[in-house]
């Protein structure tokens, strides 16, 4: 049973999500909250598998609430999925930095929402390759923030390579083909890189790759290369 907490200041939105999830076998809504502060307290009480988190809420924003949840070792297995009306705006970008597992548009199809909850509950990357590439597009005009990014020296050459490929939007299977290794080996390198960098999920790994300068954007959007390669 996947346990879900819904945090959104709109009662109608919460009711809609609850109705959808309660009708699904294998998913249980264990609580709702109308602001970020109450939401964090609810998450600490119930330790759900997945949190559906709105961004803009009273008392405490969804980004602040996500940051508190991600920083609590007792909630390491809680996966926050950001809900937004606006797509890849600055709020979502900040939420990924704060520790969110990924994001969904509020008008997403019910089947996609259910699939995302299952994926997030497994601790896997919620960002699909298409969404990852959209996220990458946001980095094109952003210089690396090496002052806040963890050091690259913790990664082996192979781990740097898989991190750079993940940041370009490749799946584990595509990475395996590119590196001529098995998908399991590619996944292992990704997992080790995430562990060394303290990344909760693939989304944060992508953020790290660009903020550290491991992958740099050059030229028009859509033209990218790993740092150090011409």
């Amino acid at each position: 049973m996947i346990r879900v907490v819904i945090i959104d200041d709109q009662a109608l939105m919460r009711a809609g999500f609850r109705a959808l999830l309660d009708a699904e076998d294998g998913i249980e809504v264990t609580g709702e909250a109308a602001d970020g502060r109450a939401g964090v307290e609810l998450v600490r009480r119930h330790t759900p598998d997945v949190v559906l988190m709105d961004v803009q809420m009273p008392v405490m924003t969804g980004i602040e609430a996500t940051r508190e949840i991600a920083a609590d070792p007792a909630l390491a297995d809680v996966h926050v999925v950001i809900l937004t009306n606006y797509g890849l705006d600055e709020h979502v970008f900040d939420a990924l930095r704060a520790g969110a597992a990924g994001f969904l548009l509020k008008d997403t199809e019910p089947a996609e929402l259910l699939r995302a909850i299952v994926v997030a509950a497994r601790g896997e990357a919620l960002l699909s390759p298409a969404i990852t590439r959209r996220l990458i597009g946001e980095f094109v005009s952003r210089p690396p923030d090496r002052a806040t990014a963890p050091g690259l020296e913790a990664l082996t050459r192979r781990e740097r390579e898989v991190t750079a490929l993940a940041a370009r939007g490749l799946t584990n299977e595509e990475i395996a083909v590119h590196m001529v290794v098995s998908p399991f080996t590619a996944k292992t390198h990704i997992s080790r890189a995430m562990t060394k960098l303290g990344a909760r999920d693939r989304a944060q790994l992508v953020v790290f790759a660009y903020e550290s300068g491991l992958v740099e954007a050059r030229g028009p959007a859509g033209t990218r290369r790993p740092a150090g390669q011409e």
Side-chain angles (χ1 to χ4, degrees):
M1 183 67 69
I2 299 174
R3 296 168 299 120
V4 179
V5 161
I6 303 169
I7 307 175
D8 196 302
D9 63 338
Q10 297 181 31
L12 186 60
M13 190 65 66
R14 295 197 308 274
F17 284 131
R18 177 181 275 275
L20 173 64
L21 299 181
D22 281 345
E24 188 71 15
D25 292 337
I27 296 179
E28 175 189 11
V29 177
T30 60
E32 302 176 20
D35 66 73
R37 171 53 61 197
V40 172
E41 294 171 357
L42 188 66
V43 169
R44 286 186 171 130
R45 287 200 305 272
H46 292 278
T47 57
D49 301 296
V50 177
V51 177
L52 297 181
M53 179 83 74
D54 189 19
V55 175
Q56 295 183 332
M57 293 183 290
V59 184
M60 175 184 283
T61 69
I63 294 171
E64 293 168 332
T66 297
R67 189 173 291 114
E68 282 207 19
I69 292 170
D72 189 339
L75 303 177
D77 293 328
V78 176
H79 306 283
V80 178
V81 177
I82 296 294
L83 300 171
T84 176
N85 289 316
Y86 309 110
L88 275 168
D89 61 7
E90 191 66 28
H91 295 299
V92 172
F93 197 79
D94 290 343
L96 292 174
R97 283 198 182 102
F103 71 93
L104 290 172
L105 294 176
K106 286 188 175 182
D107 62 356
T108 191
E109 292 294 326
E112 179 64 16
L113 173 63
L114 295 172
R115 186 197 69 82
I117 288 173
V118 172
V119 170
R122 291 199 301 254
E124 297 179 5
L126 182 56
L127 299 181
S128 68
I131 298 254
T132 302
R133 290 180 181 112
R134 289 175 58 199
L135 176 63
I136 288 168
E138 291 295 299
F139 282 101
V140 172
S141 60
R142 297 170 186 265
D145 186 4
R146 294 180 175 85
T148 61
L152 292 174
E153 64 276 2
L155 301 183
T156 66
R157 180 183 62 82
R158 280 300 223 184
E159 288 162 357
R160 291 189 190 195
E161 185 177 359
V162 297
T163 298
L165 292 171
R168 285 168 47 193
L170 274 66
T171 65
N172 287 346
E173 290 73 20
E174 291 169 335
I175 291 172
V177 171
H178 184 91
M179 297 179 63
V180 195
V181 298
S182 70
F184 176 80
T185 299
K187 183 177 180 181
T188 298
H189 285 313
I190 288 285
S191 297
R192 287 176 179 168
M194 288 171 55
T195 298
K196 289 182 179 180
L197 298 173
R200 288 170 63 97
D201 49 48
R202 200 184 192 94
Q204 284 201 309
L205 195 65
V206 172
V207 171
F208 162 80
Y210 280 87
E211 291 195 329
S212 67
L214 177 62
V215 174
E216 297 177 354
R218 289 291 183 269
T223 302
R224 293 170 293 275
R225 61 177 176 81
Q229 295 184 14
E230 299 297 336

